[in-house]
C-alpha cells in the first residue's frame, strides 16, 4: 500500500470511528482527520521504532499484545500534537480501542492489496 493510500485509509478510519463512537473519539472536521493522519504517519516513522525497541521485553512477555499500548500512545501523541479540541480521545482506553480497530482495518486493507497483486 502506498503512503497516500495509507493516509486515505487512516483519515477514513478516524472519521468513521468518530461517527460510530462519538463519546470516545472526537474529530472536528475532515481536514483535521487528514492532518491527524499525516501527523500519525510522521510519528509512526520517527517515534514508534524507538518505543517499540524500548518496550520489547513487555511485548515479548505479553506475546505481542503490548504493541497495542504502543500504538495507543502514538495515537495520544497525535492527539496532543494536533490539539485535543481538534482530534482527541475520551480516555487512554478509547485510544487502545482505536489502536486495535485501526490495526484490523489496516490489516484488511493491506491483505486486499496483496491479493490484487498475486494474480
Amino acid at each position: 500500500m502506498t503512503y497516500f493510500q495509507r493516509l486515505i485509509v487512516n483519515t477514513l478510519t478516524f472519521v468513521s470511528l468518530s461517527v460510530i463512537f462519538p463519546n470516545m473519539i472526537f474529530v472536528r472536521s475532515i481536514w483535521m482527520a487528514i492532518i491527524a493522519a499525516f501527523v500519525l504517519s510522521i510519528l509512526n516513522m520517527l517515534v514508534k521504532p524507538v518505543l517499540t525497541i524500548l518496550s520489547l521485553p513487555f511485548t515479548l512477555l505479553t506475546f505481542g499484545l503490548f504493541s497495542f499500548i504502543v500504538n495507543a500512545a502514538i495515537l495520544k501523541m497525535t492527539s496532543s500534537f494536533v490539539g485535543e479540541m481538534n482530534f482527541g480521545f475520551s480516555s487512554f482506553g478509547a485510544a487502545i480501542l482505536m489502536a486495535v480497530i485501526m490495526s484490523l482495518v489496516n490489516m484488511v486493507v493491506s491483505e486486499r492489496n496483496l491479493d490484487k497483486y498475486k494474480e
Side-chain angles (χ1 to χ4, degrees), residues 8-87:
I8 291 173
V9 168
N10 286 339
T11 300
L12 293 176
T13 304
F14 289 151
V15 171
S16 62
L17 288 177
S18 70
V19 171
I20 294 171
F21 301 112
N23 294 333
M24 297 178 87
I25 179 172
F26 173 74
V27 178
R28 182 176 296 281
S29 67
I30 187 76
W31 296 110
M32 284 300 126
I34 292 170
I35 291 169
F38 179 71
V39 170
L40 179 67
S41 69
I42 298 297
L43 289 174
N44 276 337
M45 189 174 23
L46 299 176
V47 177
K48 189 175 178 182
V50 175
L51 287 179
T52 302
I53 290 172
L54 290 176
S55 68
L56 189 60
F58 295 116
T59 305
L60 292 174
L61 281 173
T62 61
F63 300 108
L65 292 177
F66 195 77
S67 64
F68 291 124
I69 306 297
V70 171
N71 289 340
I74 295 291
L75 283 172
K76 286 295 277 186
M77 283 179 171
T78 302
S79 174
S80 66
F81 282 129
V82 173
E84 292 282 335
M85 300 311 259
N86 297 321
F87 175 77

